[in-house]
Amino acid sequence: MAHSRSGGFAIQLALDDPSRYSHVVILGTGSLLPLQTEAQVGRYEAVQARVDKEMAEKEPTVEDARKLLQADTFNHSLISDEDVALRHRSMIGRNFKAHQDRQSHEAPAAPAGASAPAKPLWERLADLKMPLLMMFGREDRAHAGERAELLKKQQPQLNLHIVNACKHMVHWDAFDDLMRLGVPFLKS
């Protein structure tokens, strides 16, 4: 089970060594969705780069952690002070330093004469050898709901669900849906 950015790693691992995994559950991984237009591609990448850069400038405060949770959660009443404190602890110290280090390193340039990159992971989802369950919040950022609908049209065999009144924290906003869909899926 993988959420957000970890979903791409989970899919890659499952493609590389399918014997190690019986099922894959993906929650809110926007990188596994097709982009609708080139304008969206540029805008999404620019926003993500700006946010990552800003988050590396100063260690986040408790209020920063609260704002991030509120941006990622549709139902703000689910956010407790304990959740904010836990998120804050995971955003500071060595984790903040690691984020700064990642931001200070540019991605390596492709060697001269290198071949075109492989197909994007969202185009390889049908290659998985194990069952896949995907859930996305309709109100998640970067048009995730619309892009999930596009993926479902392109690959109708996917077990893909778009949840209303749900943002990026699918496992919070749609916990009941996750249990209703996920438990039988994992038991299958």
Side-chain angles (χ1 to χ4, degrees):
M1 183 175 285
H3 173 249
S4 194
R5 291 184 185 187
S6 66
F9 298 114
I11 294 296
Q12 190 63 60
L13 289 169
L15 287 166
D16 290 347
D17 192 358
S19 66
R20 295 187 64 194
Y21 307 95
S22 64
H23 297 73
V24 177
V25 178
I26 299 296
L27 305 173
T29 301
S31 63
L32 295 175
L33 296 172
L35 293 157
Q36 293 172 305
T37 66
E38 287 302 315
Q40 277 184 344
V41 173
R43 190 167 49 246
Y44 176 77
E45 289 174 353
V47 168
Q48 190 62 54
R50 180 182 50 80
V51 168
D52 285 344
K53 182 179 181 289
E54 286 174 4
M55 289 180 70
E57 290 174 356
K58 68 174 184 66
E59 195 166 71
T61 65
V62 171
E63 191 53 33
D64 293 332
R66 181 177 305 280
K67 286 177 183 175
L68 183 60
L69 280 174
Q70 288 173 340
D72 285 345
T73 307
F74 187 85
N75 183 353
H76 292 181
S77 69
L78 297 172
I79 302 170
S80 70
D81 289 341
E82 293 80 19
D83 295 324
V84 173
L86 178 62
R87 174 56 68 97
H88 182 249
R89 283 193 305 274
S90 72
M91 296 170 71
I92 60 174
R94 70 178 188 197
N95 293 332
F96 176 69
K97 177 71 174 121
H99 177 71
Q100 284 183 312
D101 291 345
R102 284 190 304 273
Q103 294 308 303
S104 66
H105 292 91
E106 291 185 29
S115 61
K119 288 195 307 189
L121 284 177
W122 67 267
E123 290 182 2
R124 299 181 60 208
L125 295 172
D127 298 339
L128 288 170
K129 305 292 185 221
M130 71 287 303
L132 169 66
L133 170 65
M134 301 177 80
M135 294 179 67
F136 293 89
R138 182 165 306 280
E139 289 75 29
D140 198 353
R141 61 185 167 264
H143 306 277
E146 295 167 23
R147 292 169 50 220
E149 286 175 348
L150 179 62
L151 179 60
K152 186 67 175 170
K153 285 178 185 169
Q154 292 175 355
Q155 298 188 44
Q157 78 283 5
L158 290 178
N159 186 1
L160 186 153
H161 301 268
I162 305 164
V163 184
N164 293 324
C166 181
K167 282 188 172 180
H168 193 60
M169 299 290 278
V170 176
H171 49 292
W172 284 18
D173 280 328
F175 180 80
D176 291 343
D177 292 302
L178 177 58
M179 292 298 104
R180 179 180 56 79
L181 297 166
V183 171
F185 170 76
L186 292 171
K187 287 183 176 180
S188 67

